Amino acid sequence: MEIIHIHHPYDKNQIPDEQVVLALGYFDGVHRGHQEVIKRAKEVADQKQLKLAVMSFNHHPSIVFQKMNPDTMQYLSTVKRKAEIFESLGVDYFFVIAFTSAFASLRPQDFVDQYISGLHAAAVVAGFDYTYGPREIADMKQLVNYAKDRFEVIEVEELKNAAEKISSTHIREALAEGNMEKANAYLGYVYQIEGTVIHGDARGRLLGFPTANIQTEKHTRLPRNGVYIVSIKVNGTWYRGTASIGHNITFEADRDKTVEVYILDFNKMIYGEDVIVRWHHFIRSEIKFSGVEQLIAQLKKDEAETIAYFQDHRLNEVSI
Ligand SMILES: Cc1cc2nc3c(=O)[nH]c(=O)nc-3n(C[C@H](O)[C@H](O)[C@H](O)COP(=O)(O)O)c2cc1C
Ligand SMILES: Nc1ncnc2c1ncn2[C@@H]1O[C@H](COP(=O)(O)OP(=O)(O)O)[C@@H](O)[C@H]1O
């Protein structure tokens, strides 16, 4: 898959010289609803024997439209993670458009001419609720008129789970509750974050529970604070882990939030390594213990729960 970063106004030489089927959306998390859109686009591309392209943005449109602060925005997926999932779904080209004021203020017809026809789309596939143009003024129904017979418009119905729409908002709510089972079911894969192992207070090893402190990319949306059953990929191998997201309240009054993983059956120094953490199950909230012994006793219980969990669940569960 080729990733093509585009900044408005773009240079036509950046655009591959062939027709494509183009899937449109912001695709935060690339959840099961999004995957449905891309799979439909893939079918159309295969039928037409064309390449499959996806268009998305470098950051969320609300930064421009609702003046949200780009620094504090949190996402279910980074551009890198989206790219991995798109690739696994058979996407050939991933257009990442810089969502700027200049791009956002394109009138719908100009957007369609430059960013749909201009990307050589023979067909466009998007979810039923896709909108475009300044402040979302044009929808999928109107797209047919703007298309002027240059490309086909294919609308994908919403994907529901029981009565509820599968949406990034519902996934964010599930993460805020620590409901990983729901989040992961809606995502269609186990929620994961990436980060680098950094130094903590070197206390973990004294407790008998060394923890890899993980610095995550600043736009990462973390599940709620608490203790979790996780898996962690270090140097190409998946391990079982028990993770804590919190403030080490037993020891410190106002410590910044940390993400730490005690890795089972592991004994190596891994500072500076990039790791991937998958979040399987919320165990409990963070507790302020009256002493170290109580914390250690609880950590032993958390470890036992982790071992029991992985007796019923495969460590290498297939996940995108
Ligand atoms: C599975 C797990 C559960 C934890 N639960 C708590 C907790 O309930 N309360 C707390 O104050 N700290 C908790 N911690 C954080 C420990 O206090 C922390 O790992 C320890 O202080 C070591 O910190 P360091 O890595 O900075 O050396 C937990 C850590 C892990 C790995
Ligand atoms: N089983 C393990 N789980 C997590 N980290 C481990 C483990 N064994 C060794 N380590 C190493 O020890 C470090 C954690 O030890 P710890 O005393 O908690 O130090 P720190 O406070 O710097 O994280 C990790 O960053 C990692 O390099």
Side-chain angles (χ1 to χ4, degrees), residues 197-214 232 240 242 248 255 260-273:
V197 178
I198 54 166
H199 284 272
D201 296 336
R203 188 190 304 117
R205 64 196 80 177
L206 304 176
L207 302 176
F209 285 90
T211 58
N213 287 45
I214 296 164
I232 177 166
R240 299 170 297 174
T242 317
N248 295 3
R255 163 105 178 237
E260 349 177 354
V261 183
Y262 162 63
I263 311 170
L264 277 68
D265 300 324
F266 191 84
N267 182 21
K268 275 190 213 118
M269 284 299 164
I270 50 169
Y271 293 114
E273 295 284 353

Side-chain angles (χ1 to χ4, degrees), residues 31-199:
H31 58 60
R32 282 178 50 218
H34 299 144
Q35 291 167 29
E36 223 33 55
V37 171
I38 293 163
K39 283 179 187 160
R40 182 85 182 85
K42 173 75 178 150
E43 284 166 14
V44 177
D46 287 347
Q47 270 162 18
K48 294 183 184 293
Q49 298 192 327
L50 296 176
K51 294 274 179 64
L52 172 59
V54 173
M55 184 208 291
S56 186
F57 308 119
N58 64 332
H59 52 218
H60 200 268
S62 59
I63 289 173
V64 172
F65 291 134
Q66 277 126 44
K67 304 194 180 107
M68 298 287 284
N69 179 354
D71 283 347
T72 57
M73 293 291 286
Q74 294 182 333
Y75 300 108
L76 299 171
S77 52
T78 57
V79 169
K80 176 170 175 258
R81 178 72 180 133
K82 279 186 194 173
E84 273 171 22
I85 304 176
F86 291 156
E87 179 141 45
S88 77
L89 294 170
V91 173
D92 299 295
Y93 298 112
F94 176 16
F95 293 105
V96 184
I97 317 279
F99 203 92
T100 60
S101 304
F103 172 77
S105 57
L106 280 173
R107 285 172 312 171
Q109 187 66 62
D110 293 327
F111 166 76
V112 169
D113 294 349
Q114 296 176 36
Y115 286 88
I116 297 183
S117 274
L119 301 188
H120 308 146
V124 160
V125 183
F128 69 104
D129 54 357
Y130 188 75
T131 54
Y132 50 94
R135 294 179 194 277
E136 310 185 342
I137 57 173
D139 62 17
M140 287 296 280
K141 299 280 172 290
Q142 292 159 286
L143 188 53
V144 179
N145 301 329
Y146 293 120
K148 300 189 173 142
D149 296 327
R150 290 170 295 179
F151 53 85
E152 236 179 281
V153 176
I154 298 161
E155 189 179 316
V156 179
E157 278 314 301
E158 72 180 340
L159 190 63
K160 284 190 173 177
N161 205 31
E164 196 175 69
K165 179 184 154 190
I166 291 187
S167 70
S168 302
T169 304
H170 288 134
I171 295 168
R172 284 190 280 269
E173 285 167 7
L175 292 181
E177 293 163 0
N179 188 345
M180 294 315 303
E181 283 73 7
K182 178 173 172 179
N184 294 341
Y186 279 25
L187 286 166
Y189 58 87
V190 183
Y191 190 57
Q192 70 177 51
I193 59 163
E194 292 193 35
T196 306
V197 178
I198 54 166
H199 284 272

Side-chain angles (χ1 to χ4, degrees), residues 200-205 207 209 211 213 227-228 242-244 247-251 255 260-262 284-289 295 298-299 302:
D201 296 336
R203 188 190 304 117
R205 64 196 80 177
L207 302 176
F209 285 90
T211 58
N213 287 45
V227 177
Y228 291 83
T242 317
S244 159
H247 301 269
N248 295 3
I249 50 178
T250 301
F251 298 97
R255 163 105 178 237
E260 349 177 354
V261 183
Y262 162 63
R284 62 175 176 89
S285 300
E286 193 177 24
I287 302 169
K288 185 169 169 55
F289 291 98
L295 170 63
Q298 181 61 52
L299 290 175
D302 299 334

Side-chain angles (χ1 to χ4, degrees), residues 211-231:
T211 58
N213 287 45
I214 296 164
Q215 183 167 59
T216 57
E217 199 266 335
K218 76 170 176 180
H219 297 292
T220 304
R221 180 173 287 272
L222 292 171
R224 63 161 283 186
N225 287 1
V227 177
Y228 291 83
I229 294 169
V230 301
S231 46

